[in-house]
Amino acid sequence: MSRIRALWNASINATKRALTWNLEELMPPQEMCVFSFSSKEDLKRWHLYSDSEYGGLSSASLEVKDAENGLNGIFSGNLSSEVSDGSRWRMNRSGFCGMRSKKFDGFIDLDPYDTLAFKLKGDGRCYISTIYTENWINAPGQLEDNTWQAFVVLPRGNWYIAKTSVGFCLLQIPLASYLPTWRGNIVDARLEMNPSRVVGMSLSVNAEGGVPGTKSGPGDFKLEIDWIKALRSG
């Protein structure tokens, strides 16, 4: 009987180990790199936009430059509140620039994660992080993606990263902090993001608005960016 009991216990323990291994394999990693900005190839996944498309005079560039820890992306330019003479467009506001990820096949699945983390170096301005999800809120036939936005506030000259280490601070934005917006205005409704159907992201900056106390107004801007990651706290 003791031999049978021993075989039975060994079988049970083997089954438990197999189940544990399978669960570990099914669990997503604690973090996932969504976008990196360490090469020119990485930057090809993004395109720039600004008020210049509608008669404004703002300008932006995105390039890779050497930094202390390797190569980083540099999103920079100039914000102008002026409109070009003879513009065909009637603009409600000018003074904005942004960088948005290009369309890609499929979706970014952020469902296993609860936080976006950024490694950034700011200039004292308030930037806006936008997540675009597949259209499931707006009326059928409306082709625009759903947008969810959160402020990115970076004191000038400091590096903000997702993990604590000497000389570095944290910048983590919970997905729950992103608010639904429609053409820059917050949607006054109880809506929930579908993180499994992310179709793109962007970072943008406006000459006016943002968080009180941050740098604002026309003029130069510069945001250094190394990567964007998704984190799972559980």
Side-chain angles (χ1 to χ4, degrees):
M1 291 293 292
S2 60
R3 182 177 296 178
I4 294 174
R5 187 178 294 111
L7 289 172
W8 176 253
N9 289 336
S11 176
I12 291 176
N13 290 334
T15 302
K16 287 181 178 179
R17 286 196 298 272
L19 288 173
T20 301
W21 292 335
N22 288 337
L23 287 173
E24 289 176 352
E25 290 175 359
L26 291 172
M27 289 293 288
Q30 287 293 122
E31 65 176 49
M32 176 183 70
C33 185
V34 183
F35 290 106
S36 177
F37 297 85
S38 58
S39 71
K40 291 183 178 179
E41 286 300 312
D42 290 333
L43 300 193
K44 289 180 180 179
R45 301 179 66 186
W46 297 80
H47 69 83
L48 296 167
Y49 63 89
S50 71
D51 58 37
S52 62
E53 300 172 29
Y54 309 99
L57 297 177
S58 299
S59 60
S61 67
L62 180 61
E63 53 191 335
V64 171
K65 290 187 177 180
D66 288 321
E68 293 179 4
N69 60 333
L71 295 173
N72 293 319
I74 309 291
F75 171 50
S76 62
N78 182 271
L79 296 169
S80 172
S81 57
E82 302 297 322
V83 178
S84 60
D85 294 335
S87 171
R88 297 184 297 107
W89 301 89
R90 296 184 60 184
M91 299 180 63
N92 293 325
R93 64 182 178 88
S94 59
F96 63 88
C97 294
M99 49 180 280
R100 175 170 175 167
S101 61
K102 294 179 180 178
K103 291 287 187 180
F104 44 81
D105 294 332
F107 306 91
I108 301 173
D109 185 2
L110 297 184
D111 194 45
Y113 304 95
D114 52 41
T115 302
L116 271 190
F118 301 79
K119 184 177 180 183
L120 301 168
K121 189 174 182 179
D123 57 359
R125 288 187 181 272
C126 175
Y127 290 80
I128 299 172
S129 169
T130 304
I131 298 174
Y132 302 94
T133 58
E134 185 185 40
N135 185 327
W136 72 326
I137 295 174
N138 299 327
Q142 210 164 302
L143 300 179
E144 293 187 47
D145 302 322
N146 298 143
T147 58
W148 308 80
Q149 296 185 316
F151 286 128
V152 174
V153 181
L154 299 166
R156 184 174 184 176
N158 292 329
W159 279 98
Y160 278 70
I161 67 169
K163 294 182 178 178
T164 352
S165 62
V166 178
F168 291 84
C169 301
L170 294 170
L171 177 63
Q172 298 181 357
I173 305 178
L175 294 182
S177 297
Y178 281 81
L179 299 177
T181 63
W182 172 249
R183 297 185 178 179
N185 298 310
I186 296 175
V187 177
D188 187 17
R190 292 186 179 181
L191 303 175
E192 195 170 316
M193 182 193 298
N194 181 3
S196 65
R197 311 287 280 188
V198 174
V199 296
M201 296 182 183
S202 72
L203 285 166
S204 58
V205 60
N206 298 326
E208 305 298 338
V211 176
T214 56
K215 180 181 177 181
S216 63
D220 294 339
F221 69 88
K222 181 180 180 181
L223 182 69
E224 299 182 47
I225 177 168
D226 195 349
W227 45 249
I228 301 172
K229 293 181 179 181
L231 305 182
R232 178 168 58 86
S233 59

